[in-house]
Amino acid sequence: MKSALRNAYHFTLSRCSLNPNPSLLHIVPFISTFPSLPSVLSRNHPFRSPLCATLMAGGDSDSPQTSPSLEKQFEKFRVQLEDSGSLRERIRAVVLEIESATRLMQASLLLVHQSKPIPEVLQKANSQINVLKDLYNKLAEVVRECPGQYYRYHGDWRSETQMVVSLLAFMHWLETGNLLMHTEAEEKLGLNNSDFALDLEDYLVGVCFMSNEMPRYVVNQVTAGDYDCPRKVLKFLTDLHAAFRMLNLRNDFLRKKFDSMKYDLRRVEEVYYDVKIRGLATTGDSVGDQGAQKI
């Protein structure tokens, strides 16, 4: 650096001697007195600002420790979440088995729409009831490991239970022509204990699902030549719809399913009147006309 400044100095003096220019003479003292770069900027001595030095000094100190009470609380949360996740996995495993048995039962009941003999159809479907009963007992044992937590995990098997109730109600109607009661559904599934019972809303939604199957059944039965079926189904749905109207339902899923029952009733009514106008319905029973006036 000093040699470069020295060369620039001599070069300037030579230029000034050859071509004197007063405007350039004032820079000569400045160049001659230009100080060398400070040693603190050298490579061996990196520059550090006071703030940087303070932060680096602070980094060497120990970090603040977590509060023991806070750490203990979140350790407890971690254990609870792990236990809850493990329990949900076990519940889901049983629910998958319930879904499998329900599909087999539903596949058997679909044959009733093909004019298969009802006793034959019900015999195959009834074979799955004991399977479902064992699975619900297994599910109850898992849930009992967390007393008082029934409704915390209830959503994991709610939809499956509603479908099971609808199939059981449809089978019961095919056998007796009456509605499957709540206590009867609990008995079929082995849910008589107070800590693990059949939820009331699950039962009601399942009954609504069952009513959705009635219009299709009526149409297929009429096609097969059973012209008295519309009258029977219309009477049943009319009484069921009137019973549901006694309930003060909120604007939720159950209310929507109840509203759909009205359309099921109307479709069955249309089939009944079509059969009656054609002179195919049995005489001596005006239940269909009475049911239509209650809609």
Side-chain angles (χ1 to χ4, degrees), residues 24-291:
L24 298 177
L25 294 177
H26 70 281
I27 67 172
V28 176
F30 174 76
I31 297 177
S32 62
T33 60
F34 190 83
S36 60
L37 293 174
S39 59
V40 296
L41 296 179
S42 62
R43 212 169 164 184
N44 296 330
H45 300 81
F47 174 75
R48 295 180 181 177
S49 65
L51 178 60
C52 180
T54 303
L55 293 176
M56 294 183 65
D60 295 337
S61 62
D62 294 335
S63 60
Q65 297 295 329
T66 306
S67 173
S69 60
L70 184 64
E71 184 177 356
K72 182 178 180 181
Q73 174 183 258
F74 276 84
E75 176 64 20
K76 182 180 179 181
F77 290 163
R78 183 188 65 82
V79 174
Q80 290 178 352
L81 291 176
E82 289 181 356
D83 293 342
S84 177
S86 176
L87 185 63
R88 284 188 184 277
E89 291 179 358
R90 295 170 58 192
I91 290 175
R92 188 56 187 167
V94 180
V95 171
L96 289 176
E97 297 183 51
I98 294 176
E99 288 180 357
S100 179
T102 303
R103 285 194 297 268
L104 293 176
M105 180 183 291
Q106 189 174 19
S108 302
L109 285 178
L110 287 176
L111 298 177
V112 77
H113 297 297
Q114 302 177 5
S115 301
K116 296 287 184 179
I118 292 180
E120 179 182 345
V121 174
L122 294 178
Q123 181 180 2
K124 190 174 182 179
N126 283 327
S127 62
Q128 297 298 322
I129 294 181
N130 291 331
V131 176
L132 289 171
K133 186 175 183 178
D134 294 338
L135 291 175
Y136 272 99
N137 289 332
K138 183 178 179 181
L139 181 61
E141 293 177 0
V142 176
V143 177
R144 289 192 187 101
E145 296 180 8
C146 293
Q149 300 293 324
Y150 174 86
Y151 283 103
R152 179 180 179 181
Y153 303 101
H154 173 240
D156 293 336
W157 66 83
R158 174 185 297 167
S159 60
E160 290 77 12
T161 302
Q162 293 169 356
M163 181 57 64
V164 169
V165 171
S166 69
L167 296 177
L168 293 177
F170 187 49
M171 293 167 57
H172 185 79
W173 183 84
L174 291 174
E175 291 176 341
T176 64
N178 299 319
L179 176 66
L180 176 70
M181 297 300 175
H182 181 264
T183 54
E184 294 174 338
E186 284 186 323
E187 184 178 355
K188 286 180 178 293
L189 297 177
L191 303 178
N192 298 323
N193 296 324
S194 58
D195 56 346
F196 194 93
L198 177 60
D199 184 74
L200 179 59
E201 289 194 8
D202 291 345
Y203 167 77
L204 294 175
V205 172
V207 172
C208 292
F209 282 154
M210 183 267 296
S211 71
N212 299 151
E213 198 71 19
M214 288 302 188
R216 181 185 178 188
Y217 176 75
V218 168
V219 171
N220 291 326
Q221 288 299 111
V222 170
T223 303
D226 185 1
Y227 303 117
D228 193 43
C229 180
R231 178 188 61 83
K232 297 178 181 179
V233 174
L234 182 59
K235 181 181 184 303
F236 172 74
L237 287 183
T238 300
D239 296 340
L240 182 61
H241 185 267
F244 262 89
R245 296 190 63 163
M246 297 172 60
L247 305 177
N248 184 18
L249 301 178
R250 302 184 303 272
N251 189 20
D252 55 4
F253 182 72
L254 177 57
R255 174 72 190 203
K256 294 178 181 178
K257 296 309 299 179
F258 166 65
D259 291 339
S260 68
M261 187 186 300
K262 175 178 62 177
Y263 301 103
D264 299 330
L265 183 57
R266 184 171 300 174
R267 290 175 58 189
V268 174
E269 177 192 7
E270 292 174 353
V271 176
Y272 172 74
Y273 279 119
D274 189 45
V275 170
K276 186 175 181 180
I277 290 174
R278 297 174 185 271
L280 301 175
T282 57
T283 58
D285 194 342
S286 59
V287 174
D289 299 330
Q290 296 174 0

